[in-house]
Amino acid sequence: MNALAIDCAVSKITVAVKKENNLIKLTLDVGIKQSEKLLPAVDYVMKEAGLKPADLDYTACTSGPGTFTGLRLGMSTLKALNLSHNIPLYGIPSLEAYSWPYKRALETVLPLIEAKEDEYFCNFFVRGQKLREDEDLTVEEILKQIDAEAGVLACGPGAKNFTERVNTDYPMYSVHSFLPENDSCESLFEIAEKMIAEKKEPLSDYDGPLYVRKSEAEIVREKKLSEEKQS
């Protein structure tokens, strides 16, 4: 199958095209210039693969949690292709995508995305099965849910910093990760094709990213409204 995927859960966005068994991938670590660079990146990988939008069987992206800007940008880019060429778009929960390569691990798998300083979007997976709803927790809150005697495999963009912090400040916990940590594009292709085989529905026009916590703008607005009510 021919497909286009965007890992947009963090500020480092990765765009990948799969043409049958060949893969072309480009990673953009450009901060606030994401909006300027994403479309040219999509055009580049598509041209390198020798594909036009009409040649795509489906598209896929991380659907959250993650950065507000990245998720909106990645999903809106693929929705434009969906609307113009009727290409189905599959939204894959970010933490599921990052945990996917370790779905057969014997240990509990802990995918992590840095939310802000000392806080992570996270979940726990055992043999590919999610154990709870995605959460936004501090390091200490995550460790309270881990048995210190049980091994935990951390993965995802936040795994390196989390593992280093735990091994330094909480050495009684057995937390490790494999580095370097890859993007989730290959997982997006695999999960989307599994969804297609199971005849699961792609995203609808009105579906948007999955947010675990409110944006800074929403927090500021609510604080302002609260202060106005009290005055």
Side-chain angles (χ1 to χ4, degrees):
M1 301 180 82
N2 299 329
L4 169 67
I6 301 178
D7 180 351
C8 50
V10 295
S11 59
K12 183 188 291 186
I13 290 181
T14 299
V15 181
V17 165
K18 183 173 81 78
K19 183 179 181 181
E20 300 305 335
N21 294 321
N22 297 318
L23 182 72
I24 297 172
K25 186 161 57 173
L26 180 65
T27 297
L28 304 171
D29 193 2
V30 292
I32 60 174
K33 292 185 177 180
Q34 291 174 338
S35 57
E36 301 174 25
K37 303 296 184 180
L38 182 55
L39 285 177
V42 170
D43 288 340
Y44 173 79
V45 295
M46 291 286 288
K47 287 178 181 177
E48 288 296 308
L51 294 175
K52 297 178 181 178
D55 298 324
L56 296 173
D57 295 297
Y58 68 90
T59 63
C61 67
T62 43
S63 61
T67 65
F68 290 91
T69 302
L71 292 172
R72 286 196 298 267
L73 184 60
M75 190 170 287
S76 62
T77 298
L78 296 183
K79 278 195 171 187
L81 287 175
N82 170 264
L83 292 172
S84 59
H85 296 280
N86 197 30
I87 303 166
L89 165 59
Y90 291 87
I92 314 298
S94 308
L95 298 172
E96 178 184 349
Y98 290 123
S99 70
W100 183 257
Y102 312 104
K103 58 185 178 294
R104 293 186 177 86
L106 298 177
E107 301 164 289
T108 297
V109 176
L110 172 62
L112 298 148
I113 299 170
E114 290 173 287
K116 56 183 179 179
E117 186 176 357
D118 199 41
E119 291 186 15
Y120 295 83
F121 298 122
C122 62
N123 209 325
F124 293 91
F125 288 76
V126 173
R127 295 297 181 94
Q129 297 300 310
K130 183 171 72 170
L131 299 186
R132 63 192 71 200
E133 294 302 312
D134 297 344
E135 297 180 281
D136 176 11
L137 302 174
T138 64
V139 173
E140 289 76 14
E141 289 170 334
I142 294 172
L143 292 179
K144 286 179 182 178
Q145 302 181 48
I146 295 175
D147 182 349
E149 296 182 359
V152 172
L153 171 59
C155 62
K160 181 177 183 293
N161 288 343
F162 178 83
T163 303
E164 289 177 352
R165 169 77 186 281
V166 171
N167 290 340
T168 300
D169 296 344
Y170 307 92
M172 70 289 294
Y173 287 90
S174 179
V175 177
H176 66 99
S177 60
F178 295 120
L179 297 173
E181 184 63 50
N182 295 322
D183 60 83
S184 70
C185 285
E186 286 93 334
S187 297
L188 294 177
F189 290 132
E190 290 181 17
I191 297 171
E193 292 186 15
K194 181 174 181 289
M195 293 173 69
I196 292 170
E198 294 173 351
K199 301 189 184 305
K200 293 186 177 179
E201 291 295 318
L203 293 180
S204 300
D205 293 345
Y206 53 81
D207 289 325
L210 307 172
Y211 298 126
V212 172
R213 64 183 177 89
K214 297 174 182 177
S215 68
E216 293 299 325
E218 289 175 311
I219 294 171
V220 170
R221 184 168 61 252
E222 289 183 359
K223 182 179 179 182
K224 184 177 179 181
L225 290 173
S226 177
E227 290 172 349
E228 289 175 352
K229 289 179 180 179
Q230 293 173 5
S231 61

